[in-house]
């Protein structure tokens, strides 16, 4: 029995405040989930071509395309969902419009519908991702072991995911109602998890806390918190206290003992104290802030995973290392 046959598909929705690196985390998670021969679909819904940039490839079309091979022979496919083309798929699926739907696109009716109809755009985007989750091949096996969605930012995620409930409330019968209900069954099932990406900074953490509260209130399944771009702690607690309190004499003596000149006023070691203390003080304040923010995240009671800041940036090799880190920390859970 292949991994695809034995492992249930899960929909991993990745959100986060702008600037937290949610697209990179979504890509790394897709790679981690595809380890050991599994198949993962990575879905983009914002039209930014962020996935293509992360994987250092050309712009993604509206089709599922293989973009990476995971350790152990698994593969990651990617899909950039185009709302207009998704609507044509929808019209063909439920109303058998075929060429008539293409004619509507030429007339601008499709663009008009996705722009004017309240929530229709988000319904199409979530619907396409959920279709991939439910899809099976001719033998009845799941098409993908996991689907990862690079979703809108935290401030919009609850409304984005809950829009199908609103549509189902407006359309009480027919294909639209049935489609919206089917999508919400996936989004609110145990197969789905909404992960929130944050930095150990006040605004991203507060937005994460607020986002978790909104998701829970809407009955949407919250998964984990991923702390991204974590910087190393360079000083132990005693040194952090010294740096925070600016103990000049102790620092000057330490520099002098290290052979950097005299510790007395005007000496070389003493002249180095101020710039070193300024950097150490800044580092100490950052570490204390990060500890407070980490404690705030802990109050959410969610699994938390951490990814270190890569000073050279995240190239394709770095993306694989981030995926390996998530896998080793256990974020892939039963899919590992």
């Amino acid at each position: 029995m292949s991994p695809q046959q034995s492992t249930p598909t899960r929909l991993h929705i990745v959100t986060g405040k702008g600037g937290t690196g949610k697209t990179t985390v979504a890509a790394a998670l897709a790679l981690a989930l595809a380890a050991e021969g599994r198949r993962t679909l990575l879905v983009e819904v914002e039209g930014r071509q962020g996935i293509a940039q992360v994987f250092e490839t050309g712009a993604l079309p509206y089709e599922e395309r293989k973009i990476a091979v995971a350790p152990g022979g698994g593969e990651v496919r990617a899909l950039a969902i185009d709302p207009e083309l998704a609507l044509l798929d929808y019209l063909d699926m439920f109303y058998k419009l075929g060429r008539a739907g293409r004619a509507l696109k030429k007339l601008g009716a499709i663009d008009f519908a996705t722009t004017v109809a309240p929530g229709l755009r988000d319904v199409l985007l979530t619907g396409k991702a959920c279709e991939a989750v439910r899809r099976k091949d001719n033998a009845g096996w799941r098409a993908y072991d996991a689907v990862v969605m690079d979703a809108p930012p935290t401030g919009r995620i609850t409304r984005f995911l809950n829009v199908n409930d609103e549509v189902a409330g407006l359309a009480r019968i027919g294909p639209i109602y049935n489609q919206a209900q089917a999508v919400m069954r996936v989004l609110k099932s145990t197969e789905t998890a909404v992960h929130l990406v944050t930095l150990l900074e006040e605004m991203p953490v507060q937005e994460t806390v607020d986002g978790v509260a909104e998701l829970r209130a809407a009955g949407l399944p919250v998964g984990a918190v991923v702390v991204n771009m974590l910087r190393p702690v360079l000083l132990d607690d005693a040194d952090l206290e010294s740096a925070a309190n600016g103990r000049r004499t102790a620092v000057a003596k330490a520099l002098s003992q290290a052979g950097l000149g005299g510790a007395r006023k005007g000496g070389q070691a003493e002249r180095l104290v101020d710039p070193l203390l300024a950097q150490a003080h800044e580092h100490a304040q950052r570490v204390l802030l990060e500890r407070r923010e980490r404690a705030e995240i802990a109050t959410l009671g969610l699994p938390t995973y951490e990814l270190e800041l890569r000073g050279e940036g995240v190239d394709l090799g770095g993306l694989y290392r981030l995926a390996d880190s998530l896998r080793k920390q256990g974020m892939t859970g039963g899919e590992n």
Side-chain angles (χ1 to χ4, degrees):
M1 183 176 290
S2 72
Q4 290 159 259
Q5 297 168 6
S6 60
T7 304
T9 302
R10 281 178 57 85
L11 174 59
H12 298 260
I13 299 168
V14 181
T15 184
K17 179 177 169 57
T20 59
K22 70 176 178 66
T23 298
T24 299
V25 172
L29 179 58
L31 270 174
L33 289 164
E36 306 305 326
R38 295 178 175 82
R39 284 166 54 94
T40 301
L41 178 65
L42 179 57
V43 177
E44 181 178 274
V45 298
E46 293 187 280
R48 297 184 297 107
Q49 289 293 334
I51 292 174
Q53 295 174 33
V54 170
F55 281 97
E56 301 176 1
T57 187
L60 296 174
Y62 180 60
E63 64 181 37
E64 295 165 21
R65 172 177 292 183
K66 181 178 175 180
I67 57 170
V69 176
E75 67 177 41
V76 177
R77 291 180 174 267
L79 171 66
I81 302 178
D82 182 304
E84 291 187 24
L85 296 177
L87 180 55
L88 287 176
D89 284 349
Y90 176 87
L91 293 173
D92 188 49
M93 183 184 304
F94 291 106
Y95 297 100
K96 310 299 181 186
L97 289 188
R99 293 182 180 177
R102 309 292 166 179
L104 288 174
K105 178 175 174 58
K106 290 182 179 179
L107 292 173
I110 302 299
D111 181 59
F112 177 80
T114 56
T115 303
V116 176
L120 178 58
R121 187 182 187 89
D122 291 348
V123 168
L124 296 168
L125 295 172
T126 55
K128 189 67 177 177
C130 289
E131 181 276 326
V133 172
R134 299 191 302 263
R135 190 190 312 157
K136 296 182 180 180
D137 61 21
N138 293 333
W141 304 119
R142 301 273 193 168
Y144 291 102
D145 297 290
V147 176
V148 179
M149 180 193 294
D150 178 19
T154 315
R156 296 196 290 117
I157 188 63
T158 301
R159 180 170 177 78
F160 172 76
L161 295 177
N162 221 32
V163 70
N164 290 278
D165 259 355
E166 298 177 15
V167 171
L170 293 173
R172 298 288 183 180
I173 194 170
I176 295 178
Y177 173 81
N178 294 334
Q179 168 73 358
Q181 289 287 80
V183 170
M184 289 314 300
R185 280 195 295 272
V186 173
L187 293 179
K188 293 190 174 183
S189 74
T190 56
E191 282 193 317
T192 297
V194 184
H195 308 300
L196 297 96
V197 182
T198 188
L199 308 179
L200 287 183
E201 298 175 3
E202 186 174 356
M203 288 184 66
V205 169
Q206 186 58 56
E207 190 161 313
T208 298
V209 171
D210 293 342
V212 169
E214 291 176 3
L215 288 165
R216 285 172 170 167
L220 292 162
V222 183
V225 175
V226 179
V227 177
N228 196 23
M229 294 186 261
L230 189 63
R231 290 173 285 186
V233 177
L234 304 176
L235 304 173
D236 60 26
D237 286 350
D239 289 335
L240 284 172
E241 182 181 359
S242 295
N245 295 324
R247 296 179 180 175
R248 293 179 52 83
T249 302
V251 175
K253 287 182 178 179
L255 291 172
S256 180
Q257 291 170 359
L260 295 177
R264 294 183 179 180
K265 188 173 183 179
Q268 183 179 354
E270 199 275 341
R271 293 197 301 272
L272 292 171
V273 170
D274 284 340
L276 283 174
L277 275 180
Q279 292 185 39
H281 182 77
E282 180 181 341
H283 176 73
Q285 293 301 310
R286 176 179 64 77
V287 171
L288 293 174
L289 169 65
E290 289 179 349
R291 287 178 177 175
R292 289 197 298 270
E293 299 305 327
R294 186 180 272 110
E296 184 72 16
I297 292 171
T299 65
L300 297 172
L302 297 171
T304 301
Y305 307 95
E306 298 184 347
L307 294 173
E308 292 184 355
L309 173 69
R310 307 196 65 82
E312 72 279 11
V314 180
D315 57 10
L316 192 55
L319 186 65
Y320 275 83
R321 287 189 285 274
L322 293 178
D324 186 58
S325 178
L326 289 177
R327 189 172 56 83
K328 287 179 177 178
Q329 291 179 66
M331 189 173 180
T332 54
E335 289 84 14
N336 188 21

